[in-house]
Amino acid sequence: MAVLFFVMGRVGVMLSIDHSYVTVISPPSGLSLVAMLAFGYRMFYGIAIGSFFLNLSLGLPSGVAVAIALCDNLEYLGGAYLLRNLTDFNLSLSRRQDVFALVSLSAILATTFSALPGLAVLHLAGLVPAHEMGWYFLKWWVAGMLGVLAVAPILLVVLTHALPRPSRARLLEGVVLLGMMLTLLFVIFGTPTKHGHGYYPAALAIFPFIIWGALRFGMWGAALLNPIVAVSAIWGTKHGIGPFSASTPLDNLLLLCLFINVMSMIGLLLAAMGNEQRVAREELTQSRDGLESRVQERTAELAQANQQLKREIAERKHLESELLQADERQQRTIGMELHDGLGQHLTSTAFFCATLHQQLQAEGRTEAVAAKRIVDSINEATKMVRAFARNLYPAVLEAHGLVTALGHLAENTRALQGVSCDFHADPDVELQRSFLAINLYRMAQEAVNNAITHGQARNLRIELSQVDGLYRLTVSDDGVGFDPGSDWMNGSNEKARGMGLHNLQYRASLLDGTLSIHSEPQVGTTVTVVCPVEANP
């Protein structure tokens, strides 16, 4: 442990931006936290020995090196204690709550446990002047946080996940992903021609690859790609290359920290959510397979068990409706996590940067302009996260019912798609959130998307009425239309019909309703759904 701590500490020194006692990233932070979690607090001794010799190699006096080694352990002991005693932390990071606990308790909170006493030691030793204490504290805190985010996940994955044995196709996909990502990282953080250019949007090009790795390769992908990106960004910034090397050291450090923090959280959260969905799918698949097996057994006794077979069919239909509702709940959960988790994290960061901007502005510092740009960028990112969360689950449906939700759908279509979309509902229609309401809303949403995407419509109209115990939902447009006699409509070509029409028909059948589509080429299309008012399992 002492040797590993020393070696990884020297790697962090190599990535130091200003060659001071405090580096921009502390790989031993992630290593030591995982060691405490996996092997217990007895790792304290090895960590202390490694920290002592690392501090000596930096030129610190022996007494100061001992004190700093003890201060470092406060961070690792505190982080491990918080995770073990305040949360039901799982070393495999298989749940979103594990990722949030690692980031909030260990990366953000516990890193202050060593920064405060450690800086006090350096100040008393005359190595850090009082007027630079704030700057050194920020660097120490950022170094510990980035060390946890970059190193801890990959070590936890190695300890808790079996080594994958990918197929040739998956292996080729991984090589392509890694090659494309390394090429992009070289262009952004390794191209000398970009020296001194603050082209911040270029860093956003990394995120699709992080998402790709997390969704396709799970926690292995997220944990492996995050440190590669972090080290590349720090290396480029150290050599004055890339989007985080064009401003003051304070701006560069804040932007670099924000970039790596958000990137790591997105990758780990997507991987954790993918694992949760996989487990849920396996459980549902087992339930479905068991149900199908029982249906097959009853089929052999059809003459004697006709009534039993009917009950099995009804049970299967109920299971299908439960699958749909489970999917809606999952989308709602993801939307809430994005809104309340990542959204709140970005909001907190924006508040911190706004405070910094006010302080710089009050002092008449020129950096206030850059700080204002940071605040604006974070606020824009917050809006994007919240818009994505609203699209995953329409919260207005739960709060105000279907009529209001459809009205918002029309408004959003006009605002976001730039097309005319009107909505009309009978005054006596009152339908709150339920199985019926969410399915009618999803069908309206699907019909509107098809009209804009495939029908190239410029004018749409959504209507909802209630007559004789039946709900009638109609979505009409003036798009290009299609031939009703084609294979796309008569069902002889299932693949040509697409998932959109399949979903509409499936949801209508679950509501015991009917779906009708009337279309004329170059005139438009009308989609009508009729279902009973009591269609709610």
Side-chain angles (χ1 to χ4, degrees), residues 70-380:
L70 296 177
C71 293
D72 284 342
N73 266 289
L74 295 178
E75 172 188 336
Y76 317 135
L77 288 169
Y81 179 85
L82 291 176
L83 290 179
R84 282 180 170 179
N85 294 274
L86 297 187
T87 66
D88 181 24
F89 186 71
N90 191 323
L91 294 180
S92 65
L93 297 177
S94 57
R95 303 168 302 177
R96 285 163 291 174
Q97 66 190 61
D98 301 326
V99 176
F100 280 117
L102 178 69
V103 174
S104 60
L105 296 180
S106 295
I108 296 178
L109 178 59
T111 48
T112 62
F113 297 168
S114 63
L116 293 174
L119 284 177
V121 171
L122 292 177
H123 175 66
L124 293 176
L127 299 176
V128 175
H131 67 276
E132 294 186 4
M133 290 284 285
W135 168 242
Y136 270 82
F137 173 79
L138 180 62
K139 287 176 58 181
W140 195 314
W141 177 63
V142 169
M145 177 169 57
L146 297 186
V148 171
L149 293 177
V151 177
I154 184 60
L155 294 179
L156 290 173
V157 169
V158 170
L159 289 175
T160 59
H161 291 70
L163 187 66
R165 296 181 179 180
S167 62
R168 290 184 178 180
R170 181 59 62 88
L171 183 61
L172 178 61
E173 180 184 356
V175 172
V176 171
L177 168 60
L178 184 61
M180 294 176 63
M181 187 170 178
L182 290 175
T183 301
L184 182 60
L185 289 172
F186 175 76
V187 172
I188 297 176
F189 298 108
T191 306
T193 57
K194 302 299 183 183
H195 174 77
H197 292 260
Y199 57 118
Y200 305 117
L204 300 178
I206 301 296
F207 285 90
F209 295 93
I210 295 296
I211 296 173
W212 180 2
L215 294 181
R216 293 289 292 163
F217 298 94
M219 194 58 68
W220 275 100
L224 285 171
L225 293 181
N226 282 344
I228 294 176
V229 177
V231 171
S232 299
I234 295 171
W235 187 91
T237 304
K238 169 184 172 65
H239 291 83
I241 303 173
F244 309 122
S245 61
S247 301
T248 64
L250 176 61
D251 291 336
N252 293 339
L253 185 62
L254 290 175
L255 288 171
L256 182 64
C257 173
L258 179 64
F259 169 70
I260 297 177
N261 196 338
V262 174
M263 175 203 66
S264 300
M265 282 196 64
I266 288 179
L268 295 175
L269 281 174
L270 285 176
M273 287 189 290
N275 180 74
E276 290 177 334
Q277 291 178 343
R278 178 184 59 80
V279 172
R281 283 196 303 268
E282 290 177 353
E283 293 176 352
L284 291 175
T285 299
Q286 292 176 359
S287 299
R288 183 193 62 193
D289 292 344
L291 177 60
E292 290 180 349
S293 176
R294 292 195 299 272
V295 170
Q296 292 175 358
E297 292 174 0
R298 299 302 182 271
T299 302
E301 304 170 0
L302 184 59
Q304 296 82 17
N306 188 42
Q307 292 302 320
Q308 177 65 24
L309 180 59
K310 290 181 179 180
R311 287 194 294 270
E312 294 286 353
I313 293 174
E315 183 182 351
R316 179 166 182 165
K317 184 175 181 180
H318 176 72
L319 177 59
E320 291 172 342
S321 68
E322 288 293 329
L323 287 172
L324 265 184
Q325 294 182 75
D327 182 67
E328 291 294 339
R329 289 193 295 269
Q330 184 70 18
Q331 290 196 46
R332 179 174 182 268
T333 301
I334 295 173
M336 291 177 64
E337 290 288 354
L338 285 175
H339 185 276
D340 298 335
L342 182 57
Q344 293 300 330
H345 183 74
L346 289 175
T347 302
S348 300
T349 306
F351 177 77
F352 173 80
C353 292
T355 303
L356 176 64
H357 167 252
Q358 293 175 359
Q359 294 175 349
L360 293 175
Q361 193 174 40
E363 296 173 4
R365 300 277 296 274
T366 58
E367 292 86 352
V369 177
K372 183 60 170 60
R373 289 200 301 269
I374 296 173
V375 174
D376 294 340
S377 298
I378 297 175
N379 289 333
E380 192 66 25

Side-chain angles (χ1 to χ4, degrees), residues 450-465:
N450 287 341
I452 297 174
T453 305
H454 304 295
Q456 304 175 17
R458 304 303 303 170
N459 297 280
L460 296 94
R461 181 174 177 82
I462 306 173
E463 297 178 273
L464 179 65
S465 61

Side-chain angles (χ1 to χ4, degrees), residues 3-16 23 27-28 53-59:
V3 172
L4 286 175
F5 190 101
F6 180 85
V7 172
M8 296 188 72
R10 294 304 303 178
V11 172
V13 172
M14 293 171 58
L15 295 175
S16 176
T23 62
F53 284 104
L54 175 62
N55 295 328
L56 285 181
S57 71
L58 296 177

